[in-house]
Amino acid sequence: VQLQAFGGGLVQAGGSLRLSCVASTVAPLVMGWFRQAPGKAREFVAAINWGGSSRMYAESVKGRFTISRDNVKKAFLQMNSLKPEDTAVYYCAEALNWGEVDGQSYRSWGQGTLVTVSS
């Protein structure tokens, strides 16, 4: 299984973008979003469970980002009120257990999608 992220682009501060994540084969139990800004470590952004009934977010994006899942193989990250500090490559990946925020607990990383927020 590989998860591929789509939908990045250039947006002005205060704007919105919607990222998509698609699993190539088996439906992941947990789908998570991470990001990595230039010169910084990868960080957890959000995660959603199999049925979409549970979600969790990093403090830095709470109230601005929304993770959703329209079927078992697709997940989305709606990003509103974007800030320049949200600029990063965004990745999606899968986990077997709920509650994980460490990237080491995730697998099936695909190529990320670049989000650039201009001030």
Side-chain angles (χ1 to χ4, degrees):
V1 142
Q2 188 173 56
L3 277 65
Q4 189 64 48
F6 302 92
L10 174 63
V11 64
Q12 288 189 328
S16 298
L17 276 177
R18 188 188 195 213
L19 305 184
S20 301
C21 175
V22 180
S24 60
T25 55
V26 177
L29 292 175
V30 177
M31 297 178 80
W33 286 97
F34 287 75
R35 66 186 181 186
Q36 187 165 20
K40 294 188 176 181
R42 181 177 59 195
E43 64 174 352
F44 171 80
V45 175
I48 190 166
N49 70 343
W50 173 276
S53 59
S54 295
R55 298 172 174 86
M56 58 182 184
Y57 299 94
E59 285 297 324
S60 59
V61 306
K62 275 184 182 178
R64 300 188 299 122
F65 291 12
T66 302
I67 190 170
S68 61
R69 198 161 176 174
D70 75 337
N71 63 43
V72 292
K73 288 189 178 182
K74 287 186 179 178
F76 305 94
L77 187 68
Q78 178 65 43
M79 306 186 295
N80 299 329
S81 303
L82 282 162
K83 305 175 182 179
E85 51 263 45
D86 294 318
T87 295
V89 177
Y90 284 71
Y91 301 87
C92 59
E94 65 165 345
L96 295 178
N97 300 308
W98 179 247
E100 303 287 357
V101 298
D102 186 344
Q104 301 275 8
S105 299
Y106 285 77
R107 63 184 187 184
S108 305
W109 301 85
Q111 287 187 328
T113 187
L114 176 63
V115 172
T116 304
V117 184
S118 63
S119 56

